[in-house]
Amino acid sequence: MRNKRTAATLVRLLEHARYEVLPTASTEDKVLAHVPRDLVVTVTASPSKGMEATLDLAERLAGHGYDVVPHLAARMVSGRAELTEVVERLRGKGVSRVFVPGGDAEAVGDYPDALALLEDLKELGSPFSHVGITGYPESHPTIHDDLTVQSMWDKRRYATHIVSNLTFDPALVRDWVHRLRARGVTMPLLLGIPGPVERTKLLGMATKIGVGESTRFLAKNKGLFARLAAPGGFTGESFLEKCAPALGEDGALVEGLHVFTFNQVAETEAWRTGLLERLQS
């Protein structure tokens, strides 16, 4: 039996969830059919599809009334001229939020990492009111843990919040949040979790989308993939309940969830609303 404080923390996080989607031909229809307009939707950047797929879907979802967050993968942007065009295009559609990862692609121009693009966004007048950066509770496949924390410290002047990548270990989440706050990183945090997903559908999506950020991360972390896909190996409810004490601490500044849907949008929203109903009953 969960206590009232844990339940209250879970309700707060679930009510402030946002959904990450991949830019495929069917994504727009799935979002329109299943995602309430009061939920934020983020659109990943895939090197195999290019930035245009991300921007196009973000614009269309914004036109439908969603608060949308396109991923501006730094290594996929050639330089300030292209960045200026992207900014003008998005602001023209009322987009006020972006997420800036480095991205998995080889750099096509002037931005070898997220920090370089963030610096240019500031030079362009900080055109977005919300700017997210990536955090890594688990070890990054190619970057030392100390460097990932240092990177967040370096980017703190340019970003407004941190979005954590996937992890399935509540103890790691607790320790990582404590390390961030002890280091003096005070940006609010969105905890990244996977939505409900079937192994066959996830594999099919990975093949279809190519090297999108979410599926690429799983490909690099096969142990995590196995735990996510195994029957009974992971449930979001159990994970969140174990994380709740740390996420509800004073000073943790964990504002909500970033849900990796892998385009299982209907299933993810049914899971979220079902859990909310059980918690509030």
Side-chain angles (χ1 to χ4, degrees):
M1 186 74 178
R2 61 175 65 93
N3 62 44
K4 289 184 178 180
R5 178 163 182 169
T6 293
T9 298
L10 294 179
V11 167
R12 176 177 62 81
L13 294 174
L14 289 161
E15 288 181 339
H16 294 87
R18 70 182 197 179
Y19 290 164
E20 177 181 298
V21 298
L22 306 161
T24 67
S26 63
T27 305
E28 181 180 6
D29 289 340
K30 289 181 177 181
V31 171
L32 288 173
H34 302 290
V35 180
R37 294 299 196 281
D38 61 348
L39 290 188
V40 175
V41 180
T42 86
V43 183
T44 66
S46 163
S48 65
K49 289 184 172 290
M51 281 296 301
E52 179 58 33
T54 298
L55 298 175
D56 179 61
L57 179 57
E59 287 175 325
R60 285 186 280 122
L61 291 176
H64 291 301
Y66 287 97
D67 199 348
V68 65
V69 183
H71 293 209
L72 303 184
R75 297 185 188 97
M76 293 173 61
V77 180
S78 60
R80 184 175 290 194
E82 182 181 358
L83 181 62
T84 301
E85 292 176 2
V86 168
V87 167
E88 292 175 351
R89 179 174 172 179
L90 292 173
R91 294 298 298 146
K93 296 294 184 179
V95 174
S96 62
R97 305 175 184 230
V98 293
F99 177 63
V100 183
D104 285 324
E106 292 293 323
V108 298
D110 298 336
Y111 302 130
D113 52 33
L115 180 59
L117 190 146
L118 289 165
E119 290 171 340
D120 263 9
L121 277 180
K122 186 168 186 178
E123 289 293 320
L124 292 173
S126 301
F128 301 106
S129 58
H130 294 79
V131 179
I133 58 173
T134 307
Y136 297 96
E138 297 267 357
S139 294
H140 187 279
T142 60
I143 307 174
H144 191 276
D145 288 348
D146 289 341
L147 293 179
T148 64
V149 174
Q150 179 66 44
S151 175
M152 281 181 286
W153 176 257
D154 293 340
K155 289 183 280 192
R156 73 194 185 284
R157 292 170 294 171
Y158 307 100
T160 60
H161 60 274
I162 300 167
V163 179
S164 79
N165 219 323
L166 289 171
T167 182
F168 305 118
D169 186 337
L172 278 177
V173 171
R174 179 197 65 222
D175 293 345
W176 181 65
V177 172
H178 288 168
R179 283 171 55 216
L180 280 182
R181 301 319 181 200
R183 182 67 177 269
V185 178
T186 58
M187 283 181 286
L189 172 68
L190 296 172
L191 177 67
I193 68 166
V197 60
E198 297 176 16
R199 183 187 183 99
T200 54
K201 288 184 178 180
L202 180 54
L203 286 170
M205 180 56 64
T207 301
K208 185 175 183 180
I209 198 66
V211 288
E213 291 158 24
S214 303
T215 48
R216 182 72 172 266
F217 179 81
L218 291 176
K220 290 177 179 175
N221 293 268
K222 292 182 173 59
L224 297 183
F225 175 86
R227 291 170 65 184
L228 172 61
F234 174 86
T235 67
E237 181 174 353
S238 174
F239 172 71
L240 286 175
E241 188 164 355
K242 292 173 183 174
C243 289
L247 303 184
E249 288 177 0
D250 293 338
L253 299 176
V254 181
E255 291 191 337
L257 303 176
H258 180 98
V259 186
F260 297 84
T261 70
F262 302 101
N263 280 19
Q264 304 304 298
V265 177
E267 295 87 342
T268 299
E269 177 61 3
W271 167 80
R272 185 186 75 92
T273 54
L275 181 51
L276 270 173
E277 289 172 2
R278 292 196 299 277
L279 288 165
Q280 295 172 323
S281 62

